[in-house]
Amino acid sequence: MADQSSFLTTRFGGYFHRNVPQEDTELTHVGPGTPCGEYMRRYWQPMCFSDELQDLPIRVKLLGEELVAFRDFSGAVGLLELHCPHRGTSLEFGLVSDHGIRCCYHGWLFDVDGAILETPGEPADSTLKDRLCHGAYPTHEYNGIVFAYMGPPDTKPAFPIYDSYTRPGYRLIPGRKYFYPCNWLQILENAMDPVHTAFLHTIVSGSQFTDEFGEVPALDFL
């Protein structure tokens, strides 16, 4: 855990409270090999909107990994490591094909599961494509959102269907996409904080939701 600043008990005591606490990297870092990153990789993560996958591939960054997402002309969605294993070219500039994506540099063709389908420029009797694969992750589409599973293949869970997805009289649609230059824990903490809505979103700014949000709630945590 990160070191925390000591509690301040002296008025005008800023001199004793100058050090900024260090980031709690065990919770906030989600890259490969980190404790929280490995934990999050055991679950399906939202990756992009379905309608973003058109004729061109898109570059995405998920759990600290640079990836490329695309929908091939058969309708299958792929999520591959960004750089071609042949010469390192970004597959962001690849050509979406009937099956998979083709590197723009030498034309190597990769299927959505990472299988190498074609290796132009190799000898006709080359078995390279039959012995190697490119990094790829499973995807799942649900109600306009594409999800990815980035954990160990042998522990991939079923895609969860929560009760909030099927409420009678309600239609489930994707929300807006936001970019926040901070870690996931800061966003989650804010979403779970019902007090700030009374001030930030109502008293300070004027009512951004409904006037009821201006009431400071009574809190009871279980």
Side-chain angles (χ1 to χ4, degrees):
M1 299 295 287
D3 294 332
Q4 300 295 317
S5 295
S6 59
F7 288 107
L8 191 62
T9 58
T10 303
R11 299 186 184 189
F12 292 121
Y15 179 84
F16 306 107
H17 208 253
R18 294 170 297 169
N19 294 330
V20 177
Q22 295 298 306
E23 180 183 358
D24 189 348
T25 58
E26 186 177 19
L27 282 176
T28 59
H29 286 199
V30 296
T34 62
C36 194
E38 290 303 312
Y39 176 77
M40 287 189 169
R41 280 167 172 76
R42 268 59 177 182
Y43 299 89
W44 289 93
Q45 299 290 342
M47 186 261 291
C48 70
F49 293 132
S50 293
D51 59 12
E52 290 184 272
L53 301 178
Q54 303 290 335
D55 295 337
L56 299 176
I58 62 172
R59 181 172 178 168
V60 297
K61 186 172 185 177
L62 194 61
L63 298 181
E65 296 186 41
E66 298 288 350
L67 306 165
V68 63
F70 62 93
R71 186 191 306 279
D72 69 18
F73 296 148
S74 76
V77 173
L79 182 64
L80 306 184
E81 293 178 359
L82 181 63
H83 295 286
C84 175
H86 179 214
R87 292 290 295 279
T89 305
S90 176
L91 293 176
E92 175 187 7
F93 306 109
L95 305 174
V96 176
S97 301
D98 290 338
H99 293 282
I101 187 171
R102 189 180 296 277
C103 179
C104 68
Y105 198 17
H106 293 93
W108 283 30
L109 181 64
F110 306 97
D111 209 343
V112 296
D113 62 358
I116 304 176
L117 303 178
E118 297 177 11
T119 54
E122 289 294 304
D125 58 353
S126 171
T127 62
L128 190 63
K129 67 181 179 62
D130 303 315
R131 295 182 283 112
L132 300 174
C133 289
H134 185 50
Y137 291 115
T139 62
H140 181 85
E141 286 192 82
Y142 184 79
N143 269 35
I145 296 178
V146 182
F147 295 81
Y149 174 73
M150 300 173 64
D154 58 347
T155 60
K156 184 181 75 173
F159 183 78
I161 301 297
Y162 299 109
D163 56 0
S164 58
Y165 291 175
T166 55
R167 295 181 61 188
Y170 289 84
R171 181 167 61 95
L172 192 65
I173 61 174
R176 293 179 60 187
K177 178 184 285 188
Y178 298 92
F179 171 73
Y180 297 113
C182 61
N183 65 66
W184 71 274
L185 188 60
Q186 291 171 299
I187 295 300
L188 183 63
E189 186 276 336
N190 179 73
M192 295 178 65
D193 169 18
V195 175
H196 85 278
T197 58
F199 293 89
L200 179 64
H201 296 297
T202 310
I203 296 173
V204 175
S205 63
S207 181
Q208 291 179 296
F209 303 116
T210 65
D211 291 339
E212 286 75 13
F213 276 93
E215 297 293 329
V216 177
L219 306 180
D220 183 17
F221 286 95
L222 180 63

